[in-house]
Amino acid sequence: MEYDEVIKTRRSIRGYLDKPVPKELIREILELAMRAPTSLNSQPWNFYVVTGDVLDKIREGNVERNMAGVPDSREFRMGPAYDGVHRQRQIEIAIQLFEAMGIERHDKEKRMDWVLRGFRQFDAPVSIVITYDKALAGGDIPPFDCGGVVNCIVNTAWSRGLGCVINSQGIMQSPVVREHAGIPEDQVIQTCIAMGWPDDSFPANAVVSKRKSVDEAAVFRGF
Ligand SMILES: Cc1cc2nc3c(=O)[nH]c(=O)nc-3n(C[C@H](O)[C@H](O)[C@H](O)COP(=O)(O)O)c2cc1C
């Protein structure tokens, strides 16, 4: 795929075929994505790629703890709740996804089912947990660097026919992820990516999210 086509057609994939992803292909994707720039070329990221029983245990633990009302234990600051235009955008994408899935606004059962899908990593065959070296914890640069490589991973995967969704829900119960993925204490868990072959019959996979315009986002001076 040409670069423009990857960028223009990629979208988050939340329904997957029950088909394994070869380890070699994931290695190839990581190798390319790790060409992403980082501050001082520090490359603070690490990847814990999980599948099979390991991922199933993470799914089970995530669902169990969330159903039991265990509070979130993310390893980063959340900042203030989204309000104003940011909240509007959050609602807009939720409406698009719920409409595609036929989830009515007041249908608590179906809404809960959707949330649980997130905790189950959308039943993807693979999850890549992105961490960074704890020695750098406290600054904003390592999470920024992780964002850079994550973007490269999802685009590279897409260029090879694989779908992904960056999935904050998947690491909300970080002790579960840490235990089953065997993540050592010298790593901070930043996020995870669900990955697999897109199920084209899954309605939410067709949703195309909107973007604000360049005119709204960019200011050009001195041209
Ligand atoms: C940091 C981050 C966390 C995300 N967490 C979730 C999540 O927990 N659940 C989910 O369904 N999508 C999640 N997403 C996907 C976004 O909803 C999605 O990227 C956005 O709506 C734009 O849609 P697109 O990826 O299809 O272009 C996350 C994306 C990012 C960058």
Side-chain angles (χ1 to χ4, degrees):
M1 259 195 227
E2 291 292 322
Y3 181 79
D4 286 20
E5 194 190 348
V6 173
I7 300 297
K8 283 182 183 164
T9 60
R10 185 214 58 83
R11 52 196 186 275
S12 288
I13 293 300
R14 298 179 175 88
Y16 297 90
L17 298 178
D18 184 13
K19 180 178 159 190
V21 182
K23 188 173 161 188
E24 275 315 306
L25 181 55
I26 302 171
R27 288 185 65 92
E28 181 185 307
I29 290 165
L30 289 177
E31 192 170 356
L32 274 173
M34 286 166 66
R35 295 304 306 165
T38 51
S39 172
L40 305 170
N41 201 26
S42 54
Q43 305 167 64
W45 54 55
N46 288 295
F47 309 101
Y48 294 82
V49 187
V50 292
T51 189
D53 287 352
V54 178
L55 180 50
D56 286 342
K57 282 186 185 138
I58 292 175
R59 293 190 230 275
E60 280 165 25
N62 277 349
V63 169
E64 208 176 283
R65 283 170 65 114
N66 281 296
M67 294 296 278
V70 178
D72 306 348
S73 48
R74 296 181 178 98
E75 299 183 358
F76 50 85
R77 293 165 296 162
M78 282 299 288
Y82 287 178
D83 199 2
V85 69
H86 305 109
R87 176 77 179 139
Q88 275 168 29
R89 291 187 189 126
Q90 184 186 1
I91 291 170
E92 190 172 31
I93 187 66
I95 289 173
Q96 282 182 268
L97 290 168
F98 283 9
E99 272 182 9
M101 294 301 296
I103 303 173
E104 302 284 345
R105 195 180 153 81
H106 298 292
D107 190 337
K108 281 191 182 158
E109 205 173 308
K110 280 193 177 169
R111 285 173 76 113
M112 177 51 83
D113 176 64
W114 184 255
V115 172
L116 292 180
R117 274 174 185 275
F119 294 135
R120 295 199 313 263
Q121 309 270 358
F122 294 96
D123 300 325
V126 171
S127 172
I128 303 181
V129 184
I130 291 89
T131 70
Y132 67 86
D133 300 325
K134 201 175 239 169
L136 301 175
D140 292 328
I141 297 272
F144 182 91
D145 288 340
C146 286
V149 79
V150 162
N151 190 41
C152 288
I153 291 171
V154 299
N155 283 318
T156 309
W158 190 260
S159 76
R160 278 142 176 80
L162 280 166
C164 297
V165 60
I166 305 163
N167 187 22
S168 279
Q169 281 168 284
I171 47 87
M172 269 166 66
Q173 299 290 346
S174 54
V176 169
V177 178
R178 188 176 286 284
E179 181 192 341
H180 295 297
I183 301 174
E185 288 299 327
D186 67 355
Q187 297 298 301
V188 179
I189 297 175
Q190 182 64 40
T191 194
C192 69
I193 303 173
M195 179 185 278
W197 304 103
D199 176 355
D200 293 333
S201 69
F202 191 76
N205 287 351
V207 168
V208 177
S209 58
K210 297 178 183 155
R211 293 293 185 274
K212 64 181 177 183
S213 68
V214 173
D215 283 339
E216 285 171 275
V219 176
F220 296 88
R221 308 264 193 229
F223 281 83

